[in-house]
C-alpha cells in the first residue's frame, strides 16, 4: 500500500493508471486533479521530470499538501480542471501524459464543515472551491420544484425526485446536512443498504460544482493539450461521468481516417480484489484511457 502524506487519501486504481499512462523518463505530465498527490508522486518518480509537470487542484488544503510534497519544482495551479486546461491551452503548453481523477477526494467527504457528508452534520455547502458563491443551501432553499426535480433526476438518478422536491419546499428553510438527510430518509422510510439521501447529496454536489458540464467542456481541452503519441487517463466515479468520457473518447476514435484517439481501454478498468479491501472508495471507480494518434506531417 502506498503511503501518502495525507493519511485519509489513497490514490485509486494506481497500478491501472500507471499501466495506461506508461510514464517514461523525461515525459511531461499534467494532473488536472492532483488532490493530495498520490498519483502524481508515482508518475513523477517514473518520469523524473518535475520541471515538466503541472499539478492542478481547486482546493486550498490540497495545494498546501502538494507544495509540501513537491516544493517549487513543479508548476502548481489552484484552479478547477476546466479553467486550468483553458489557461494552459492559451499558453500553448503540451504534455505527454494527462491524468484526470474526477472523484471527490475522501478528505472533502469526511470533513463535516464542507457539507458533503451525510453522516456528519454540517452546513449545506458542498462547494469544492469556497471562492465560488453558489452553495447547496441556496439551491435547496431557492430553486423551484421543477428545478429541484430536474437536478435530482438527472444528477442523482433519484426515483422519488418529485416527492423529495416537494418535501424540501414544504420544510424550507433547511440549513444543515442532517436536516436534509433526515427529510429525505422520511420520504423513503424503510430500510436500505446505503443511506436513502445518498443520491440527493450526489445530485446537489454535481449541481453546485457543475461537475458534468465541466467534464464535457474539459475533455476536448485535455485532448488538445496532448502531444501526438501522448496518453490520457480519466477516472470517474459514477455512471453519468463514465458515460460522458466513453462517448467523447468513442467520438474521436475508431476506424476512420480522421480519428484523433486510439482507445487503450475497450472497457473501463476497475479495481481488483486487493484494492477493494484496503480502499473501499475504489469500488465505483472506472478508468478509461486513450493515446493521441501521431499523423504524418504533424509535429
Amino acid at each position: 500500500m502506498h503511503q501518502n502524506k495525507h493519511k485519509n487519501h489513497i490514490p485509486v486504481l494506481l497500478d491501472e493508471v500507471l499501466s495506461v499512462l506508461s510514464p517514461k523518463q523525461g515525459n511531461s505530465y499534467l494532473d488536472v486533479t492532483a488532490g493530495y498527490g498520490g498519483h502524481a508522486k508515482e508518475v513523477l518518480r517514473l518520469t523524473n521530470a518535475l520541471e515538466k509537470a503541472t499539478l492542478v487542484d481547486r482546493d486550498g488544503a490540497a495545494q498546501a499538501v502538494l507544495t509540501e510534497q513537491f516544493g517549487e519544482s513543479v508548476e502548481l495551479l489552484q484552479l478547477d480542471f476546466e479553467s486550468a486546461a483553458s489557461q494552459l491551452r492559451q499558453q500553448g503548453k503540451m504534455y505527454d501524459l494527462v491524468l484526470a481523477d474526477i472523484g471527490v477526494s475522501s478528505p472533502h467527504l469526511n470533513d463535516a464543515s464542507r457539507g458533503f457528508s451525510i453522516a456528519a452534520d454540517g452546513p449545506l455547502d458542498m462547494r469544492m472551491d469556497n471562492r465560488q458563491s453558489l452553495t447547496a443551501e441556496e439551491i435547496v432553499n431557492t430553486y423551484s420544484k421543477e428545478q429541484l426535480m430536474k437536478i435530482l433526476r438527472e444528477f442523482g438518478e433519484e426515483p422519488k425526485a418529485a416527492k423529495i422536491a416537494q418535501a424540501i419546499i414544504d420544510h424550507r428553510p433547511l440549513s444543515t446536512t442532517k436536516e436534509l438527510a433526515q427529510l429525505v430518509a422520511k420520504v423513503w422510510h424503510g430500510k436500505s443498504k446505503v443511506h436513502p439521501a445518498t443520491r440527493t447529496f450526489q445530485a446537489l454536489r454535481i449541481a453546485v460544482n457543475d461537475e458534468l458540464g465541466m467534464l464535457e467542456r474539459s475533455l476536448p481541452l485535455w485532448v488538445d493539450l496532448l502531444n501526438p503519441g501522448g496518453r490520457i487517463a480519466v477516472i470517474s466515479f459514477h455512471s453519468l461521468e463514465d458515460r460522458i468520457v466513453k462517448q467523447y473518447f468513442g467520438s474521436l476514435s475508431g476506424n476512420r481516417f480522421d480519428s484523433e484517439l486510439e482507445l487503450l481501454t475497450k472497457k473501463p478498468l476497475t479495481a481488483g480484489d486487493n484494492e477493494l479491501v484496503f480502499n473501499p472508495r475504489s469500488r465505483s471507480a472506472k478508468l478509461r484511457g486513450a493515446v493521441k494518434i501521431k499523423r504524418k506531417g504533424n509535429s
Side-chain angles (χ1 to χ4, degrees):
M1 193 166 110
H2 297 272
Q3 285 307 310
N4 192 291
K5 276 269 173 64
H6 209 285
K7 61 183 182 303
N8 300 339
H9 190 65
I10 305 165
V12 298
L13 302 178
L14 183 59
D15 296 341
E16 290 77 4
V17 164
L18 295 175
S19 81
V20 165
L21 289 181
S22 181
K24 305 279 187 285
Q25 186 94 6
N27 279 169
S28 51
Y29 174 58
L30 169 62
D31 190 327
V32 296
T33 48
Y36 296 95
H39 292 109
K41 192 171 101 192
E42 294 302 315
V43 172
L44 293 174
R45 193 172 55 77
L46 294 164
T47 63
N48 199 16
L50 290 178
E51 70 291 346
K52 292 187 189 172
T54 303
L55 307 184
V56 177
D57 204 278
R58 59 170 25 167
D59 185 64
Q63 285 289 333
V65 174
L66 293 170
T67 306
E68 194 186 328
Q69 208 171 3
F70 302 103
E72 303 298 307
S73 25
V74 299
E75 178 181 26
L76 290 177
L77 298 178
Q78 187 178 350
L79 289 168
D80 64 74
F81 55 62
E82 182 187 1
S83 310
S86 161
Q87 181 177 307
L88 293 165
R89 195 74 200 86
Q90 283 161 357
Q91 293 168 355
K93 292 272 182 80
M94 299 291 279
Y95 297 89
D96 301 314
L97 312 170
V98 174
L99 173 65
D101 170 2
I102 49 190
V104 191
S105 73
S106 331
H108 282 159
L109 295 175
N110 299 339
D111 177 353
S113 70
R114 299 293 291 270
F116 295 103
S117 172
I118 295 178
D121 197 16
L124 275 173
D125 189 327
M126 302 198 188
R127 290 170 301 172
M128 308 265 194
D129 181 343
N130 348 38
R131 296 172 295 187
Q132 144 187 329
S133 61
L134 180 66
T135 62
E137 183 168 11
E138 186 179 329
I139 291 178
V140 163
N141 291 318
T142 65
Y143 280 27
S144 68
K145 182 178 177 182
E146 283 63 36
Q147 287 173 302
L148 288 171
M149 279 164 48
K150 187 169 194 277
I151 287 171
L152 293 169
R153 278 202 188 116
E154 286 185 15
F155 301 156
E157 302 179 277
E158 171 53 76
K160 296 200 176 183
K163 278 191 168 155
I164 291 169
Q166 190 57 57
I168 286 172
I169 286 168
D170 292 344
H171 291 81
R172 283 173 171 170
L174 294 161
S175 58
T176 70
T177 52
K178 196 173 182 177
E179 286 176 313
L180 180 61
Q182 288 173 341
L183 186 63
V184 176
K186 280 205 190 93
V187 172
W188 267 96
H189 56 76
K191 291 243 185 294
S192 82
K193 270 209 301 237
V194 294
H195 192 289
T198 304
R199 285 180 295 270
T200 296
F201 273 60
Q202 172 186 298
L204 285 170
R205 194 196 80 217
I206 290 173
V208 168
N209 299 292
D210 185 24
E211 289 175 38
L212 301 181
M214 276 179 56
L215 175 59
E216 283 174 336
R217 296 186 298 271
S218 299
L219 280 160
L221 294 169
W222 298 339
V223 170
D224 274 352
L225 286 162
L226 273 184
N227 284 319
R231 290 165 171 248
I232 179 170
V234 182
I235 301 172
S236 61
F237 283 82
H238 52 76
S239 54
L240 300 166
E241 291 170 339
D242 181 55
R243 193 179 310 148
I244 290 170
V245 178
K246 176 187 178 180
Q247 286 172 349
Y248 185 70
F249 280 2
S251 73
L252 293 186
S253 64
N255 286 332
R256 304 194 319 271
F257 72 93
D258 61 343
S259 55
E260 283 181 61
L261 295 178
E262 188 182 320
L263 299 181
L264 293 166
T265 48
K266 293 283 178 268
K267 285 202 178 86
L269 302 178
T270 54
D273 297 342
N274 181 29
E275 180 172 5
L276 289 168
V277 172
F278 69 79
N279 193 6
R281 227 184 111 250
S282 64
R283 191 186 52 205
S284 51
K286 290 190 163 75
L287 170 68
R288 290 184 185 271
V291 60
K292 195 167 190 176
I293 292 171
K294 289 182 177 172
R295 298 243 166 269
K296 290 194 174 103
N298 71 6
S299 55

